[in-house]
Coordinates of all heavy atoms in Angstrom, one line a residue:
I10 N 106.7 111.8 77.9 CA 107.3 113.2 77.8 C 106.3 114.0 76.9 O 105.8 113.5 75.9 CB 108.7 113.2 77.2 CG1 109.6 112.2 77.9 CG2 109.2 114.5 77.0 CD1 110.4 112.8 79.0
G11 N 106.0 115.2 77.4 CA 105.1 116.1 76.6 C 103.7 116.0 77.1 O 102.8 116.7 76.6
S12 N 103.4 115.1 78.1 CA 102.0 115.0 78.6 C 101.7 116.1 79.5 O 102.5 116.5 80.4 CB 101.9 113.6 79.3 OG 102.0 112.6 78.5
L13 N 100.4 116.6 79.5 CA 99.9 117.5 80.4 C 99.0 116.7 81.4 O 98.1 116.0 81.0 CB 99.0 118.5 79.6 CG 98.4 119.6 80.5 CD1 99.4 120.5 81.2 CD2 97.5 120.5 79.6
V14 N 99.3 116.8 82.7 CA 98.7 116.0 83.7 C 98.1 116.9 84.7 O 98.7 117.8 85.2 CB 99.7 115.0 84.3 CG1 99.1 114.1 85.3 CG2 100.5 114.2 83.3
A15 N 96.8 116.6 85.1 CA 96.2 117.2 86.2 C 96.1 116.2 87.4 O 95.7 115.1 87.2 CB 94.8 117.7 85.8
V16 N 96.5 116.7 88.6 CA 96.4 115.8 89.8 C 95.6 116.6 90.8 O 95.6 117.8 90.9 CB 97.7 115.4 90.3 CG1 98.5 114.6 89.3 CG2 98.6 116.6 90.7
S17 N 94.9 115.9 91.7 CA 94.1 116.5 92.8 C 94.5 115.8 94.1 O 94.7 114.6 94.1 CB 92.6 116.3 92.5 OG 91.9 116.8 93.5
N18 N 94.5 116.7 95.1 CA 94.8 116.1 96.5 C 93.6 116.4 97.4 O 93.8 116.6 98.6 CB 96.1 116.6 97.1 CG 96.1 118.1 97.4 OD1 95.0 118.8 97.2 ND2 97.1 118.6 97.9
K19 N 92.4 116.5 96.9 CA 91.2 116.8 97.7 C 91.0 118.3 98.0 O 89.9 118.7 98.3 CB 91.0 115.9 98.9 CG 90.9 114.4 98.6 CD 90.7 113.7 99.9 CE 90.6 112.2 99.6 NZ 90.4 111.4 100.8
E20 N 92.1 119.0 98.1 CA 92.0 120.4 98.4 C 92.2 121.3 97.2 O 91.6 122.4 97.1 CB 93.1 120.8 99.4 CG 92.9 120.2 100.8 CD 94.0 120.5 101.7 OE1 94.8 121.4 101.5 OE2 94.1 119.8 102.8
I21 N 93.0 120.8 96.2 CA 93.4 121.6 95.1 C 93.8 120.7 93.9 O 94.2 119.6 94.1 CB 94.6 122.6 95.4 CG1 94.8 123.6 94.3 CG2 95.8 121.8 95.7 CD1 95.8 124.7 94.7
T22 N 93.5 121.2 92.7 CA 93.9 120.5 91.5 C 95.1 121.3 90.9 O 95.1 122.5 90.8 CB 92.8 120.5 90.4 OG1 91.7 119.8 91.0 CG2 93.3 119.8 89.2
E23 N 96.2 120.5 90.6 CA 97.4 121.1 90.1 C 97.7 120.5 88.7 O 97.3 119.4 88.4 CB 98.6 120.9 91.0 CG 98.4 121.5 92.4 CD 99.6 121.2 93.3 OE1 100.7 121.8 93.0 OE2 99.5 120.4 94.2
H24 N 98.3 121.3 87.9 CA 98.6 120.9 86.5 C 100.1 120.9 86.2 O 100.8 121.8 86.6 CB 97.9 121.9 85.5 CG 96.5 121.9 85.7 ND1 95.8 122.7 86.6 CD2 95.5 121.2 85.0 CE1 94.5 122.5 86.5 NE2 94.3 121.6 85.6
F25 N 100.6 119.9 85.6 CA 102.0 119.7 85.3 C 102.2 119.3 83.8 O 101.3 118.6 83.3 CB 102.6 118.6 86.2 CG 102.5 118.9 87.7 CD1 101.4 118.4 88.4 CD2 103.4 119.7 88.3 CE1 101.3 118.6 89.8 CE2 103.3 120.0 89.7 CZ 102.2 119.4 90.4
I26 N 103.3 119.7 83.3 CA 103.7 119.1 82.0 C 105.0 118.5 82.1 O 105.9 119.1 82.8 CB 103.7 120.2 80.9 CG1 103.9 119.6 79.5 CG2 104.7 121.3 81.1 CD1 103.6 120.5 78.3
I27 N 105.2 117.3 81.5 CA 106.4 116.6 81.7 C 107.3 116.9 80.4 O 106.9 116.5 79.3 CB 106.2 115.1 81.8 CG1 105.2 114.8 82.9 CG2 107.5 114.3 82.0 CD1 104.6 113.4 82.9
L28 N 108.4 117.5 80.7 CA 109.4 117.9 79.6 C 110.8 117.4 79.9 O 111.1 117.2 81.1 CB 109.3 119.4 79.4 CG 108.0 120.0 78.9 CD1 108.1 121.5 78.8 CD2 107.6 119.4 77.6
P29 N 111.6 117.3 78.9 CA 113.0 116.8 79.2 C 113.9 117.8 80.0 O 114.9 117.4 80.6 CB 113.6 116.5 77.8 CG 112.7 117.2 76.9 CD 111.4 117.4 77.5
C30 N 113.5 119.1 80.0 CA 114.3 120.1 80.7 C 113.3 121.2 81.1 O 112.2 121.3 80.6 CB 115.5 120.6 79.9 SG 115.0 121.3 78.3
G31 N 113.8 122.1 81.9 CA 113.0 123.3 82.3 C 112.2 123.1 83.6 O 111.3 123.8 83.9
G32 N 112.6 122.0 84.3 CA 111.9 121.7 85.6 C 111.8 123.0 86.5 O 112.8 123.7 86.7
G33 N 110.6 123.2 87.1 CA 110.4 124.3 88.0 C 109.9 125.5 87.3 O 109.4 126.4 88.0
E34 N 109.9 125.6 86.0 CA 109.3 126.7 85.3 C 107.8 126.6 85.3 O 107.3 125.5 85.5 CB 109.9 126.8 83.9 CG 111.3 127.0 83.7 CD 111.7 128.4 84.2 OE1 111.0 129.4 83.9 OE2 112.8 128.6 84.8
Y35 N 107.1 127.7 85.1 CA 105.7 127.7 85.0 C 105.2 128.3 83.7 O 105.9 129.2 83.1 CB 105.1 128.6 86.1 CG 105.1 127.9 87.5 CD1 106.2 128.1 88.3 CD2 104.0 127.2 87.9 CE1 106.3 127.5 89.6 CE2 104.1 126.6 89.2 CZ 105.2 126.7 90.0 OH 105.2 126.1 91.2
L36 N 104.2 127.7 83.2 CA 103.5 128.2 81.9 C 102.1 128.5 82.3 O 101.6 128.1 83.3 CB 103.5 127.1 80.9 CG 104.8 126.4 80.6 CD1 104.6 125.2 79.7 CD2 105.8 127.3 79.9
E37 N 101.4 129.4 81.5 CA 100.0 129.7 81.7 C 99.3 129.3 80.5 O 99.6 129.6 79.4 CB 99.8 131.1 82.1 CG 98.4 131.4 82.5 CD 98.2 132.8 82.9 OE1 99.1 133.4 83.6 OE2 97.1 133.4 82.6
L38 N 98.2 128.5 80.7 CA 97.3 128.1 79.6 C 95.9 128.1 80.1 O 95.6 127.5 81.1 CB 97.7 126.7 79.1 CG 96.9 126.1 78.0 CD1 97.1 126.9 76.7 CD2 97.3 124.7 77.7
D39 N 95.0 128.8 79.4 CA 93.6 128.9 79.8 C 93.4 129.3 81.2 O 92.7 128.7 82.0 CB 92.9 127.6 79.5 CG 92.8 127.3 78.0 OD1 92.8 128.2 77.2 OD2 92.8 126.0 77.7
N40 N 94.2 130.3 81.6 CA 94.2 130.9 83.0 C 94.6 129.8 84.1 O 94.2 129.9 85.2 CB 92.8 131.5 83.3 CG 92.6 132.7 82.5 OD1 93.5 133.5 82.3 ND2 91.3 132.9 82.0
K41 N 95.3 128.8 83.7 CA 95.8 127.8 84.6 C 97.3 127.8 84.6 O 98.0 127.9 83.6 CB 95.4 126.4 84.2 CG 93.9 126.2 84.3 CD 93.5 124.8 83.8 CE 92.0 124.7 83.7 NZ 91.5 123.6 82.9
N42 N 97.9 127.8 85.8 CA 99.4 127.7 86.0 C 99.8 126.2 85.8 O 99.2 125.4 86.5 CB 99.8 128.2 87.3 CG 99.8 129.7 87.4 OD1 100.1 130.4 86.4 ND2 99.4 130.3 88.5
I43 N 100.7 126.0 84.9 CA 101.2 124.7 84.7 C 102.7 124.6 85.0 O 103.5 125.4 84.4 CB 101.0 124.3 83.2 CG1 99.5 124.4 82.9 CG2 101.5 122.9 82.9 CD1 99.2 124.4 81.4
Q44 N 103.1 123.7 85.9 CA 104.5 123.6 86.3 C 105.2 122.6 85.4 O 104.6 121.5 85.2 CB 104.6 123.3 87.7 CG 106.1 123.2 88.2 CD 106.2 122.9 89.7 OE1 105.3 122.9 90.4 NE2 107.5 122.8 90.1
V45 N 106.3 122.9 84.9 CA 107.2 122.0 84.2 C 107.9 121.1 85.2 O 108.5 121.5 86.1 CB 108.2 122.7 83.3 CG1 109.1 121.7 82.6 CG2 107.5 123.6 82.3
V46 N 107.8 119.8 84.9 CA 108.5 118.8 85.7 C 109.3 117.9 84.7 O 108.9 117.7 83.6 CB 107.6 117.9 86.6 CG1 107.0 118.7 87.7 CG2 106.6 117.1 85.8
T47 N 110.4 117.4 85.2 CA 111.2 116.5 84.3 C 111.2 115.1 84.8 O 110.8 114.9 86.0 CB 112.7 117.0 84.3 OG1 113.3 116.8 85.6 CG2 112.8 118.4 83.9
P48 N 111.5 114.1 84.0 CA 111.5 112.7 84.4 C 112.5 112.4 85.5 O 112.3 111.5 86.3 CB 111.8 111.9 83.1 CG 111.5 112.9 82.0 CD 111.7 114.2 82.5
A49 N 113.5 113.3 85.7 CA 114.5 113.1 86.7 C 114.0 113.5 88.1 O 114.5 113.1 89.1 CB 115.8 113.9 86.4
S50 N 112.9 114.3 88.1 CA 112.4 114.8 89.4 C 111.5 113.7 90.0 O 110.9 112.8 89.3 CB 111.5 116.0 89.3 OG 110.3 115.7 88.6
P51 N 111.4 113.6 91.3 CA 110.5 112.6 91.9 C 109.1 112.6 91.4 O 108.5 111.6 91.1 CB 110.6 112.9 93.4 CG 111.9 113.6 93.6 CD 112.1 114.4 92.4
L52 N 108.5 113.8 91.3 CA 107.1 114.0 90.8 C 107.0 113.5 89.3 O 106.1 112.8 88.9 CB 106.6 115.4 91.0 CG 105.2 115.7 90.4 CD1 104.2 114.7 91.1 CD2 104.8 117.1 90.6
G53 N 108.0 114.0 88.5 CA 108.0 113.6 87.1 C 108.1 112.1 86.9 O 107.4 111.6 86.0
N54 N 108.9 111.5 87.7 CA 109.1 110.1 87.6 C 107.8 109.3 87.9 O 107.5 108.4 87.2 CB 110.3 109.7 88.6 CG 110.7 108.2 88.4 OD1 110.0 107.4 87.9 ND2 111.8 107.9 88.9
V55 N 107.2 109.8 89.0 CA 105.9 109.1 89.3 C 104.8 109.3 88.3 O 104.1 108.4 87.9 CB 105.4 109.6 90.7 CG1 104.0 109.2 91.0 CG2 106.3 109.2 91.8
L56 N 104.8 110.6 87.8 CA 103.7 110.9 86.8 C 103.9 110.1 85.5 O 103.0 109.6 84.9 CB 103.7 112.4 86.4 CG 103.2 113.3 87.5 CD1 103.4 114.8 87.1 CD2 101.8 113.0 87.9
L57 N 105.2 109.8 85.1 CA 105.5 109.0 83.9 C 104.9 107.6 84.0 O 104.6 107.0 83.1 CB 107.0 109.0 83.6 CG 107.5 110.2 82.8 CD1 109.0 110.0 82.7 CD2 106.9 110.3 81.5
K58 N 104.9 107.1 85.3 CA 104.5 105.7 85.5 C 103.0 105.6 85.9 O 102.5 104.5 86.0 CB 105.3 105.2 86.7 CG 106.8 105.1 86.4 CD 107.6 104.6 87.6 CE 109.1 104.7 87.4 NZ 109.8 104.4 88.6
S59 N 102.3 106.8 86.0 CA 100.9 106.8 86.4 C 100.0 106.8 85.2 O 100.3 107.3 84.2 CB 100.7 108.0 87.3 OG 101.4 107.9 88.5
A60 N 98.8 106.3 85.5 CA 97.7 106.3 84.5 C 96.5 107.1 85.1 O 96.5 107.4 86.3 CB 97.3 104.9 84.2
L61 N 95.5 107.3 84.3 CA 94.3 108.0 84.8 C 93.7 107.4 86.0 O 93.6 106.1 86.0 CB 93.3 108.1 83.6 CG 92.1 108.9 83.8 CD1 92.5 110.4 84.0 CD2 91.2 108.8 82.6
F62 N 93.4 108.2 87.0 CA 92.8 107.8 88.3 C 93.8 107.0 89.2 O 93.3 106.5 90.3 CB 91.5 107.0 88.1 CG 90.5 107.8 87.3 CD1 90.0 107.3 86.1 CD2 90.1 109.1 87.7 CE1 89.1 108.0 85.4 CE2 89.2 109.8 86.9 CZ 88.7 109.3 85.8
D63 N 95.0 106.9 88.8 CA 96.0 106.3 89.8 C 96.2 107.2 90.9 O 96.0 108.5 90.8 CB 97.4 106.1 89.1 CG 97.5 104.8 88.3 OD1 96.5 104.1 88.2 OD2 98.5 104.6 87.7
E64 N 96.5 106.7 92.1 CA 96.8 107.5 93.3 C 98.2 107.2 93.7 O 98.7 106.1 93.5 CB 95.8 107.1 94.4 CG 94.4 107.4 94.1 CD 93.4 107.1 95.3 OE1 93.9 106.5 96.3 OE2 92.2 107.3 95.1
F65 N 98.9 108.3 94.2 CA 100.3 108.2 94.6 C 100.5 109.2 95.7 O 99.8 110.2 95.9 CB 101.2 108.4 93.5 CG 101.2 109.7 92.8 CD1 102.0 110.8 93.3 CD2 100.3 110.0 91.8 CE1 101.9 112.0 92.7 CE2 100.2 111.2 91.2 CZ 101.0 112.3 91.6
C66 N 101.5 108.9 96.5 CA 101.9 109.8 97.6 C 103.4 110.2 97.5 O 104.2 109.4 97.1 CB 101.7 109.2 99.0 SG 100.0 108.8 99.3
L67 N 103.7 111.5 97.8 CA 105.0 112.0 97.8 C 105.3 112.7 99.0 O 104.4 113.4 99.6 CB 105.2 112.9 96.6 CG 105.3 112.4 95.2 CD1 105.4 113.5 94.2 CD2 106.5 111.5 95.0
N68 N 106.6 112.7 99.5 CA 107.0 113.5 100.6 C 107.5 114.8 100.1 O 108.5 114.8 99.4 CB 108.1 112.7 101.4 CG 108.4 113.4 102.7 OD1 108.6 114.7 102.7 ND2 108.5 112.7 103.7
I69 N 106.8 115.8 100.4 CA 107.1 117.2 99.9 C 107.2 118.1 101.1 O 106.3 118.3 101.8 CB 106.0 117.7 98.9 CG1 105.8 116.8 97.7 CG2 106.3 119.1 98.5 CD1 104.7 117.1 96.8
G70 N 108.4 118.6 101.2 CA 108.7 119.5 102.4 C 108.4 118.9 103.7 O 108.0 119.5 104.6
G71 N 108.7 117.6 103.8 CA 108.5 116.9 105.1 C 107.1 116.4 105.3 O 106.8 115.9 106.4
K72 N 106.2 116.7 104.4 CA 104.8 116.3 104.5 C 104.5 115.2 103.5 O 104.9 115.4 102.3 CB 103.9 117.5 104.3 CG 103.9 118.5 105.4 CD 103.0 119.7 105.1 CE 101.6 119.3 105.0 NZ 100.7 120.5 104.8
N73 N 103.8 114.2 103.8 CA 103.3 113.2 102.9 C 102.0 113.6 102.3 O 101.0 113.8 103.0 CB 103.2 111.8 103.6 CG 103.2 110.7 102.7 OD1 103.9 110.7 101.6 ND2 102.5 109.6 103.0
I74 N 102.0 113.9 101.0 CA 100.9 114.4 100.3 C 100.4 113.4 99.2 O 101.3 112.9 98.4 CB 101.1 115.8 99.6 CG1 101.6 116.8 100.7 CG2 99.9 116.3 98.9 CD1 102.0 118.1 100.2
C75 N 99.2 113.0 99.2 CA 98.6 112.0 98.3 C 97.8 112.7 97.2 O 97.1 113.7 97.5 CB 97.8 111.0 99.0 SG 98.8 110.0 100.2
Y76 N 98.0 112.2 96.0 CA 97.3 112.8 94.8 C 96.6 111.7 94.0 O 96.9 110.6 94.1 CB 98.3 113.4 93.9 CG 99.1 114.6 94.4 CD1 100.3 114.5 95.0 CD2 98.5 115.9 94.2 CE1 101.0 115.6 95.5 CE2 99.2 117.0 94.7 CZ 100.4 116.9 95.3 OH 101.1 118.0 95.8
E77 N 95.6 112.1 93.2 CA 95.0 111.3 92.3 C 95.1 111.9 90.9 O 94.9 113.1 90.7 CB 93.5 111.1 92.6 CG 92.8 110.2 91.6 CD 91.3 109.9 91.9 OE1 90.8 110.5 92.9 OE2 90.7 109.2 91.2
V78 N 95.5 111.1 89.9 CA 95.6 111.6 88.5 C 94.2 111.8 88.0 O 93.4 110.9 87.9 CB 96.4 110.7 87.6 CG1 96.5 111.2 86.2 CG2 97.8 110.5 88.2
M79 N 93.9 113.1 87.6 CA 92.5 113.4 87.1 C 92.4 113.5 85.6 O 91.4 113.2 85.1 CB 92.1 114.7 87.7 CG 92.1 114.8 89.3 SD 91.2 113.4 90.1 CE 89.5 113.8 89.6
S80 N 93.5 113.8 84.9 CA 93.5 113.8 83.5 C 94.9 113.8 82.9 O 95.9 114.2 83.6 CB 92.8 115.1 82.9 OG 93.6 116.2 83.2
V81 N 95.0 113.2 81.8 CA 96.3 113.1 81.0 C 96.0 113.4 79.6 O 95.1 112.8 79.0 CB 96.9 111.7 81.2 CG1 98.2 111.6 80.4 CG2 97.1 111.3 82.6
C82 N 96.7 114.3 79.0 CA 96.6 114.5 77.6 C 97.9 115.0 77.0 O 98.8 115.3 77.6 CB 95.5 115.6 77.3 SG 95.6 117.1 78.2

């Protein structure tokens, strides 16, 4: 909880922060949009279990999208 995570899916890099509440909200830091995810969400749950350079896939909107964890801080 509290980790800032960057993930990439070969097309785009996205940034997430894992917080206990506020899922779906967006923050801006250094001109980057950062989405808040909670451990209860599918993405938050996977991110909590992932380490640097881990790969994972999620079904989002009926599409299977794969990501690689690029940074964790």
Side-chain angles (χ1 to χ4, degrees):
I10 305 268
S12 295
L13 180 61
V14 182
V16 299
S17 177
N18 70 359
K19 295 184 182 178
E20 295 176 16
I21 190 169
T22 299
E23 299 181 71
H24 299 86
F25 301 95
I26 187 165
I27 307 167
L28 296 176
C30 60
E34 295 291 324
Y35 284 87
L36 310 170
E37 187 174 325
L38 179 66
D39 295 332
N40 295 320
K41 295 178 187 164
N42 285 322
I43 302 166
Q44 183 176 356
V45 176
V46 294
T47 66
S50 71
L52 178 57
N54 189 340
V55 170
L56 291 176
L57 277 176
K58 298 174 185 176
S59 297
L61 190 60
F62 304 123
D63 279 357
E64 295 181 359
F65 63 91
C66 296
L67 287 174
N68 188 313
I69 300 173
K72 291 176 62 176
N73 200 33
I74 301 175
C75 297
Y76 293 95
E77 181 177 1
V78 177
M79 304 306 292
S80 68
V81 179
C82 52

